[in-house]
Amino acid sequence: VTHYLKDYQPSNYQIDSIELTFDLDPLATRVTNVMQMTFSPNASDDRRLVLNGQKITLLECWINGNLLSAEDYDLDDEFLTLSPSLDAFELKIVTQCAPQNNTSLEGLYRTSGNYCTQCEALGFQTITYYLDRPDVLSFFTTKIIADKSQNAVLLSNGNLVEASDLPDGKHYAVWHDPFKKPCYLFALVAGNLSLIQDTYQTMDGRLVDLRIYVEPQNIDKCDHAMASLKKSMQWDEERYGLVYDLDIYMIVAVDDFNMGAMENKGLNVFNSKFVLAKPETATDVDYEGIESVIAHEYFHNWTGNRVTCRDWFQLTLKEGLTVFRDQEFTGDMLSIPVKRIEDVKRLRSNQFPEDAGPMAHPIQPQSYIEMNNFYTMTVYEKGAEVVRLYQTLLGRDGFRKGMDLYFQRHDGQAVTVEDFRNAMADANHVDLSQMQAWYVQEGTPVVTAKTHYDAKLQTLTLSLEQTLKGKVPQQPLMIPVLIGFMGYDGQPLTLMPSVQDKNSLEERGDSWLLKLTEPKQDFIFEQVATYPVISYLRDFSAPIILKTPNALPELEVLAQYDSNAFVRWESMQALALASMEQGVSAYQQQQPLTLLPSFAAAFASVLADSSLDLSLKALALTLPEMTYVADQYTEIPLEAIQAVHQFTQQALAEKFSQALLQTYESLQVNEPYRYEKQAIAQRKLKNVCLKYLAKLPQNLAIAVNQFEQKSNMTDVLSALEVLSHHQTADSAKCLQAFYQDWSKDSLVLDKWFSIQAAAQVPDILAQINQLLQHPDFKYTNPNRVRSVLGVFGRLNWVGFHQASGTGYQLLAEQVIKLNGINPQIASRLVAPLSHWKRYDSGRRLLMRQALESILATENLSKDVYEIVSRSLA
Ligand code: ARG
Ligand code: ZN
């Protein structure tokens, strides 16, 4: 069945309160659900009460104390339908389920011998019968009964109101959540967990009890998560005036989790990957991931929980907004331009392809088969870009006014993206109706810029034209394009716009914000003495592809002099891309490969620039990924890109070996690990240098040495990564040593699997098969599956796309296998196959066959079916 946004109807029944009792047992958990319900017809006078429920056994059903018999209701695989005649009544439902057998990791399941839940989006209906929709808000009270020796800790949402021992070695706890919430925010955790505790004093003077629960062996890896939580709480107070609202905030880390984490009210459940860290086990990327995911889930308490979504088509209301908030937080904690560049890289390498492929959907999808398939880069990351557009247009203060009004109007409600937009508009007394098009039109907009300079009139005309999927968009988008000017000597220039353009642009510091609202629009600048260099799309002011008329000379000026860090980086990328594109042509004409001189020159000047922030330097010296190069072509010249990418790295390594080595050595510090901006930047640049250096065989010893130092996981892993592409005795020895050191630490062991799955080695298929057969490989653990199969499909571009098609076959077989174990994980693995139409005819056929073999499988889950059938359509 396909669900449509246009079919939305409010519920005729409300659930005023719910009392849940869980009698936990691995194979026979009994759930008693007592709901106080009212009939309050909204759309129609239909009295049927249709409750969602799946994969559970109905034991009893009572209305106002009367036991119903089978004639009193309809029951099928998905619904329990009743016809109550009263306007207010108590409905009691008793069901049974088997968490031990639940490998889908949705609903109530077991992980490392503990119980936990994941209800978003529609998992609550696998726990009990309910109106499983986010616009039904209720007060939850949860009683948990369990064996005490196995489950010392019993947790649910809200505040603990009662706990005591019971006969037969059991005990219980009762939790009450004073805030109304939709059932997707429900959580339960039980097991033998250790905790660290801290407190946070809110700006209104309340003391909040902060707790992080982990498996006992991980208790030494919680400090960074706790520090991140406290920073998040403080930041949300300072930036948005948002204060935490319960007396306790709990985070539980579990090893088996489908996604990153979940914002359940007062009781977040996290993939342990986003909690556990110490310098020996976690990289800088891990530390940053933890800080930002902790923040993300914490920020959801207001953007998601206090104000929630009316229906699942509004997912970006909470996710786009909360990602935007966590991006801003990370920028403030570390570096605003570095964070912006990293986010743009991620958007381009993951969201742009999604928006150009068969799964393209607007940030507000209009339909779905399986909601879990729409927790996408588009809903999250493009959604965050669209939220950012409001801040770009309204300024930070205007955006804050809109947020204030949003909470003032909608606290305690389940609302829509229109409600958010209206709050932004009304708080600032502006018309934002044109922003609607961003929510309903899919695809990455392309804006083409053209300039015309009239030397006689001294005017510069900048024409911007927008297209969507090659056409004039149905409704033109509102696209803010931030630009700046400079001379060819790099000196800033101040140009004045002509008066008639006053409404369509705004001055922003040393930049102009152009507001493109028409399919095509001209912006005229006057008294322009000489033709300037134009810095386009500063700060990546809109999630678009901008085609500029800038050629190599302009890119060189921008790369060296622009005041905007994003455009400096972008110009380096453009030069690298130009170099590789001419390489691809040369390769295709069987000409020798060369570096583009202007790229080599820019690379040299970045490397030598001692005033440049080290993180920005590291980013500027990193080549665009092969997949980003591939995105520039309609039919991907895979072999050519691979050869040119190799060549470019090699040629840079040879040409700049002295400077790279010098930089590498100057960054060798003998200090204990600190998660701090400057130290992170040093490690980042050092490891970028190492990557180039290791292209020369004589330098492999440097990597071995760095590996053996064991200073911190960032350096160890970077060294191991460069070694993994070489099948030498040293490389094998290091991999073996790493395994010896870390085989008992599942998160570190994931890294060992990932590195090998990503290795650029000739017999990669044999290597993947070996990893799949390794005793430590587990199909039931999503992190482990992702570390081999996710990495192989997404990051080992060359290995996965071997011309023989064996990579495709392997992935298809594994998807079929996982379909029966964990459909959400299976469906995520399909993505690399879905872009089959972009490849050459040989690969196209093989990829399609792999997809067809999945589609032909019996008992295909909705999750996998939706992705595969859309890919083949
Ligand atoms: N709301 C969670 C977050 O953004 C993601 C949960 C998604 N889970 C799922 N099974 N679809 O942090
Ligand atoms: Zn989220």
Side-chain angles (χ1 to χ4, degrees), residues 809-834:
Q809 266 173 28
L810 181 136
L811 193 70
E813 283 160 21
Q814 298 298 317
V815 166
I816 292 167
K817 178 155 189 165
L818 278 154
N819 174 65
I821 299 169
N822 186 332
Q824 282 187 44
I825 297 302
S827 111
R828 299 264 157 180
L829 295 177
V830 178
L833 287 169
S834 71

Side-chain angles (χ1 to χ4, degrees), residues 730-839:
D730 271 344
S731 160
K733 199 182 75 197
C734 292
L735 276 165
Q736 181 58 28
F738 190 90
Y739 181 82
Q740 290 303 331
D741 286 352
W742 298 113
S743 65
K744 295 285 170 288
D745 185 315
S746 58
L747 291 173
V748 185
L749 195 56
D750 287 336
K751 301 179 191 302
W752 183 81
F753 277 96
S754 297
I755 274 200
Q756 295 178 78
Q760 305 212 356
V761 294
D763 56 349
I764 183 67
L765 258 295
Q767 187 154 310
I768 299 287
N769 276 313
Q770 256 176 34
L771 294 174
L772 292 173
Q773 265 134 46
H774 193 281
D776 292 312
F777 185 82
K778 291 191 199 75
Y779 283 99
T780 51
N781 177 250
N783 289 353
R784 192 57 47 86
V785 170
R786 280 186 282 254
S787 71
V788 177
L789 296 170
V791 166
F792 177 56
R794 259 180 325 105
L795 302 181
N796 201 333
W797 196 61
V798 171
F800 177 62
H801 288 285
Q802 330 213 312
S804 64
T806 42
Y808 307 147
Q809 266 173 28
L810 181 136
L811 193 70
E813 283 160 21
Q814 298 298 317
V815 166
I816 292 167
K817 178 155 189 165
L818 278 154
N819 174 65
I821 299 169
N822 186 332
Q824 282 187 44
I825 297 302
S827 111
R828 299 264 157 180
L829 295 177
V830 178
L833 287 169
S834 71
H835 298 289
W836 59 281
K837 286 182 182 147
R838 302 279 315 281
Y839 289 84

Side-chain angles (χ1 to χ4, degrees), residues 676-695:
E676 176 274 323
K677 186 178 169 174
Q678 189 62 17
I680 296 168
Q682 284 176 355
R683 284 187 288 271
K684 190 146 131 194
L685 180 56
K686 181 177 71 181
N687 288 314
V688 166
C689 293
L690 178 67
K691 205 167 170 168
Y692 282 112
L693 288 168
K695 292 281 158 195

